[in-house]
């Protein structure tokens, strides 16, 4: 995977992460009693966050102090 492809993938993951955040907020605001659905969305959001962190770590080099 090239760096450009990784940057595109990173942007897609960030958008999906924001969308999940909005969906979780909407379910909570609507007073949804479907805690299983909310828990699944939160778990998916955490997986996306981990994937984002992995790609960011690869793309952003460590600074040697």
């Amino acid at each position: 995977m090239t760096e450009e492809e990784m940057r595109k993938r990173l942007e897609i993951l960030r958008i999906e992460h924001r969308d999940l955040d909005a969906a979780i907020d909407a379910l909570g605001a609507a007073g949804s009693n479907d805690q299983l659905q909310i828990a699944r969305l939160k778990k998916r959001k955490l997986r996306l966050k981990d994937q984002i962190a992995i790609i960011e770590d690869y793309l952003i080099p460590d600074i040697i102090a």
Side-chain angles (χ1 to χ4, degrees), residues 2 9 11-12 16 23-24 29 36 39-40 42 48 55 61 63:
T2 67
R9 176 74 177 143
E11 185 58 32
I12 290 168
E16 188 175 350
I24 292 167
L36 183 59
R40 286 180 178 158
K42 286 182 177 181
L48 287 173
I55 294 173
I63 298 173

Side-chain angles (χ1 to χ4, degrees), residues 9-10 12-21 23-24 35-53:
R9 176 74 177 143
L10 182 60
I12 290 168
L13 291 174
R14 285 180 176 157
I15 291 169
E16 188 175 350
H17 188 268
R18 276 193 305 261
D19 290 347
L20 282 173
D21 197 30
I24 292 167
Q35 294 302 315
L36 183 59
Q37 176 73 14
I38 293 171
R40 286 180 178 158
L41 291 174
K42 286 182 177 181
K43 190 172 183 178
R44 174 72 179 142
K45 186 178 164 191
L46 285 173
R47 281 195 305 266
L48 287 173
K49 184 178 178 184
D50 290 342
Q51 290 175 352
I52 289 169

